Amino acid sequence: MDMPIRVLVAKPGLDGHDRGAKVIARSLRDAGMEVIYTGLRQTPEQIVAAAIQEDVDVVAMSILSGAHNHLFPKVVSLLKEEGADDLLIIGGGVIPEDDIPKLKEAGVEEIFTPGTSTKDVVNYIKEHVKR
Amino acid sequence: MNLEEKLLHGDKRACARLITMVENNQQEAFEIIKNHYNKTGNSYVVGITGPPGSGKSTLTDRLTRELLNRGKKVGIIAIDPTSPFTGGAILGDRIRMNDLSLNKNVFIRSMGTRGSLGGLSKATQGAIKILDIYGVDYIFVETVGVGQSEIDIVKAADTVLMVMVPNLGDDIQAIKAGIMEIADIFAINKSDIDGADKTQVEIEMNLDLNEEMDYRPPVLKVSARKKEGISQLVDSILDHKEFLEKTGKLKDRRKRNTEIEILNLVEEGLMNIIFSKMKRKAIFDEIIESVMSRELDPYTAKDQIIKLIK
């Protein structure tokens, strides 16, 4: 068997809505990826620790609470501090258009907003995964 | 520092990367294991098995906390099923242990079964060795949720803990062969639910019927959610460990497991040779066609394939 892409699907922050994250997790599974699902209310520190121990290729985060401007960049900077700079980091959720350029500048490579097809997410990961 | 030095210095990233490399069959990881194999055997491996939803992950979290309180370092390998159709997997055991992620004395790794059917993955043995070299006192190996006959854990663990829940079946289930026979310890989780006493009696009565038994498995009622009975369960693991060590049976068990492991590796190596001799399936496909058209039978086909490696 060849090497499956490993993806951490995480929900940073305090909102309690994980339906979207679960739908994404399921589509990534069906695309042949190994999805480590860590569930609700994770701190950036927990997400980074899990990403390192699971040696994932991708960190995919979902936020619906509005805290993305703080939490997404925090995860990126903690990962860099740990020397884990070869990961693809993506985000999704209810994210205003205006915030997206800043998040990309901070190192979140793509942002998926409501209405995105799961196929687009799968294809994006397959094309952009770094190893 | 290279990966090998980092692993020896207890670097979690290096440990994680090497487990990935074992999973993906990359030779460099096996070279590092070879270099340090003489220092392994110090981690005590506890298998945690039981039906899906019985609370194995939550209980593993609680047992780990108890061992941390006792000053130990713990590695966890949590296995979930890989899809036979897509090769994908949802590895969701970690969700029950998230608070442990940040503890410097814990390392948690999720693995997909990637085609293995016995409740573990092919790379589990290698991952155990990496964690052993990394330096943990205890390794919990949590199997996929099991049914009746997924018993590979017995080949990888020193102590097997069987997690049961009340009301899964009647006393006939308790006398069946297979998974019920491999436990060194029974933990009835969710024992705050009605029926826990009955389940306990059924297991005990079944154990009464064993004629030869050098160690009678204790049957404990616990509740992972309510954190009840956890300390006693850890004590029972340590009691079993002490029994195995004092009687020399730990050595017997590890000898048996080593034998199985070597045979499995040889079998895998032989299969690789056979497949490369068959030019990566081209000849195999022809043979399959001949058997399908009844020109050949499966037994002669086997002889022909074996001849390829002679």
Side-chain angles (χ1 to χ4, degrees), chain B residues 167-179:
Chain B
N167 307 322
L168 265 190
D170 60 11
D171 51 350
I172 297 300
Q173 300 304 332
I175 61 171
K176 285 189 182 170
I179 196 94

Side-chain angles (χ1 to χ4, degrees), chain A residues 1-4 6 8 25-26 28-40 42-43 45-46 49-50 52-55 82-86 131, chain B residues 12-13 16-18 20 23-24 26 82-83 86-95 98-103 106-115:
Chain A
M1 202 177 283
D2 53 6
M3 308 174 191
R6 285 171 69 86
L8 186 80
R26 173 62 205 268
L28 300 181
R29 185 203 96 178
D30 290 341
M33 302 181 198
E34 285 186 351
V35 179
I36 295 94
Y37 189 74
T38 55
L40 291 168
Q42 297 298 296
T43 65
E45 287 80 4
Q46 283 175 321
I52 285 174
Q53 289 170 38
E54 298 292 352
D55 191 30
E82 294 283 341
D85 47 10
D86 55 349
R131 52 180 158 94
Chain B
K12 283 191 179 181
R13 266 196 90 200
R17 180 59 51 88
L18 283 164
T20 306
E23 278 196 292
N24 292 337
Q26 286 166 273
T82 296
S83 162
T86 66
I90 300 279
L91 310 178
D93 292 323
R94 196 178 184 101
I95 197 168
N98 270 324
D99 290 345
L100 291 174
S101 280
L102 292 169
N103 191 302
V106 182
F107 184 98
I108 309 171
R109 179 55 174 252
S110 316
M111 295 173 105
T113 52
R114 298 198 186 177

Side-chain angles (χ1 to χ4, degrees), chain B residues 17-115:
Chain B
R17 180 59 51 88
L18 283 164
I19 291 175
T20 306
M21 290 166 70
V22 167
E23 278 196 292
N24 292 337
N25 245 326
Q26 286 166 273
Q27 198 52 34
E28 189 187 340
F30 298 107
E31 292 304 324
I32 292 176
I33 295 176
K34 286 182 199 171
N35 290 344
H36 301 281
Y37 190 73
N38 58 358
K39 287 171 232 146
T40 62
N42 300 314
S43 306
Y44 193 79
V45 182
V46 180
I48 312 236
T49 192
S54 54
K56 296 181 293 299
S57 305
T58 311
L59 198 56
T60 302
D61 174 271
R62 303 297 188 263
L63 293 171
T64 301
R65 284 163 199 270
E66 179 66 25
L67 283 171
L68 289 172
N69 287 339
R70 300 186 189 190
K72 302 298 181 192
K73 221 172 153 180
V74 182
I76 299 169
I77 299 170
I79 300 155
D80 263 333
T82 296
S83 162
F85 303 109
T86 66
I90 300 279
L91 310 178
D93 292 323
R94 196 178 184 101
I95 197 168
R96 322 288 173 195
M97 316 172 190
N98 270 324
D99 290 345
L100 291 174
S101 280
L102 292 169
N103 191 302
K104 66 175 179 12
N105 291 322
V106 182
F107 184 98
I108 309 171
R109 179 55 174 252
S110 316
M111 295 173 105
T113 52
R114 298 198 186 177

Side-chain angles (χ1 to χ4, degrees), chain B residues 106-129:
Chain B
V106 182
F107 184 98
I108 309 171
R109 179 55 174 252
S110 316
M111 295 173 105
T113 52
R114 298 198 186 177
S116 297
L117 297 175
L120 299 181
S121 72
K122 191 165 71 72
T124 305
Q125 295 275 15
I128 288 172
K129 292 180 184 68

Side-chain angles (χ1 to χ4, degrees), chain B residues 144-209:
Chain B
V144 303
V146 299
Q148 294 180 312
S149 67
E150 298 94 329
I151 57 166
D152 277 358
I153 187 61
V154 88
K155 305 167 196 165
D158 297 317
T159 293
V160 175
L161 170 65
M162 178 82 193
V163 183
M164 306 289 288
V165 282
N167 307 322
L168 265 190
D170 60 11
D171 51 350
I172 297 300
Q173 300 304 332
I175 61 171
K176 285 189 182 170
I179 196 94
M180 295 295 287
E181 295 176 281
I182 65 165
D184 299 302
I185 302 165
F186 287 94
I188 302 168
N189 193 26
K190 310 188 188 187
S191 62
D192 47 328
I193 299 173
D194 277 350
D197 290 332
K198 184 164 167 279
T199 301
Q200 186 180 30
V201 168
E202 282 165 3
I203 296 170
E204 292 281 12
M205 284 175 68
N206 182 46
L207 292 172
D208 287 342
L209 299 174

Side-chain angles (χ1 to χ4, degrees), chain B residues 3-16:
Chain B
L3 266 183
E4 184 166 4
E5 288 158 355
K6 281 184 183 165
L7 177 70
L8 296 176
H9 282 86
D11 181 280
K12 283 191 179 181
R13 266 196 90 200
C15 181

